[in-house]
Amino acid sequence: GQNIDQPTEMTATEGAIVQINCTYQTSGFNGLFWYQQHAGEAPTFLSYNVLDGLEEKGRFSSFLSRSKGYSYLLLKELQMKDSASYLCAVRILTGGGNKLTFGTGTQLKVEL
Amino acid sequence: DTEVTQTPKHLVMGMTNKKSLKCEQHMGHRAMYWYKQKAKKPPELMFVYSYEKLSINESVPSRFSPECPNSSLLNLHLHALQPEDSALYLCASSQGQFGRPDTQYFGPGTRLTVL
């Protein structure tokens, strides 16, 4: 089976840096995605990793270690609007095609 | 443009009703997806269409019936639902290419309530 774990909740201060971890145990790994989801809205794509290392996109960076089954999302210069749920999703290649399996999600609260 | 649209935004239906959810994208994507999301839970995959053919069905009950009339449209037909089927139903699309990021872009969802 597939197992993807994230912390349930995190709190951070505006202007600070926060790291959200994701660990996974899956078969057929074919990439890892991070999505942001505000309450009542659709998930929006943040980043993608398929090879080991760090991918940087503005205030957001994502890291992957395939041998450790580990990824993290790093958010810098936190803003109040970053308060949202952050979803780690592993893409798995199956006979029917690619499918995304989401982690439990991390609810981030940014405080003044 | 990475827009996926879904109608209706909200739907309330009785257990004996038949209704349909609609999803549309004009990005030329060839893969489309239905997800179900309960409150404070991650999205769960229901169906995948690839090049207008059903390629993945995650053992979804037959009271949910997907349809892909063409490469831009995806429907989800609902019949004899149960109250526990109340959830946010999300549609997504992607290019459908193996070996590429094949990022999925999500629509805003339909909030379904079954009475």
Side-chain angles (χ1 to χ4, degrees):
Chain A
Q2 321 293 344
N3 193 34
I4 304 170
D5 289 317
Q6 304 176 234
T8 304
E9 293 178 342
M10 297 183 73
T11 301
T13 305
E14 190 180 34
I17 299 173
V18 71
Q19 178 175 312
I20 301 174
N21 296 325
C22 171
T23 58
Y24 63 89
Q25 291 177 304
T26 64
S27 55
F29 178 84
N30 194 25
L32 188 143
F33 294 78
W34 284 94
Y35 283 84
Q36 179 193 61
Q37 187 175 28
H38 285 98
E41 297 183 10
T44 54
F45 169 70
L46 290 178
S47 70
Y48 166 76
N49 297 73
V50 68
L51 300 176
D52 292 351
L54 190 67
E55 294 285 339
E56 297 187 79
K57 285 177 71 173
R59 293 191 299 117
F60 296 87
S61 303
S62 58
F63 172 83
L64 176 67
S65 169
R66 288 171 297 169
S67 62
K68 295 182 179 177
Y70 169 68
S71 174
Y72 67 73
L73 179 70
L74 196 69
L75 291 78
K76 303 175 188 175
E77 300 169 14
L78 280 173
Q79 302 174 10
M80 298 298 288
K81 67 178 182 179
D82 296 328
S83 293
S85 179
Y86 291 84
L87 298 160
C88 165
V90 174
R91 188 175 68 167
I92 298 157
L93 183 58
T94 72
N98 284 318
K99 55 185 277 190
L100 277 186
T101 299
F102 285 85
T104 48
T106 298
Q107 188 65 44
L108 174 66
K109 183 178 180 183
V110 180
E111 298 178 328
L112 290 171
Chain B
D1 181 14
T2 56
E3 189 178 27
V4 177
T5 59
Q6 290 187 243
T7 55
K9 286 194 164 96
H10 301 274
L11 178 64
V12 179
M13 60 185 292
M15 289 190 284
T16 58
N17 293 157
K18 286 186 182 181
K19 297 286 185 183
S20 297
L21 309 184
K22 297 186 184 300
C23 174
E24 190 166 6
Q25 56 88 13
H26 294 288
M27 297 178 278
H29 288 174
R30 301 312 300 269
M32 296 186 77
Y33 311 78
W34 280 115
Y35 289 84
K36 174 182 177 179
Q37 186 176 25
K38 302 282 273 185
K40 299 190 184 300
K41 297 290 187 183
E44 293 181 356
L45 183 66
M46 300 174 71
F47 302 104
V48 180
Y49 272 84
S50 180
Y51 291 82
E52 297 151 55
K53 293 192 186 310
L54 183 65
S55 60
I56 297 177
N57 176 341
E58 292 286 271
S59 303
V60 178
S62 60
R63 58 185 184 268
F64 295 92
S65 176
E67 178 197 19
C68 189
N70 60 56
S71 60
S72 300
L73 292 173
L74 185 66
N75 297 323
L76 186 64
H77 303 298
L78 313 173
H79 173 54
L81 294 194
Q82 304 297 311
E84 59 264 29
D85 296 322
S86 298
L88 181 68
Y89 287 84
L90 293 163
C91 173
S93 71
S94 70
Q95 289 182 317
Q97 294 172 336
F98 287 81
R100 294 274 192 99
D102 197 29
T103 301
Q104 291 185 27
Y105 296 95
F106 286 82
T110 293
R111 176 78 56 191
L112 174 68
T113 302
V114 181
L115 301 177

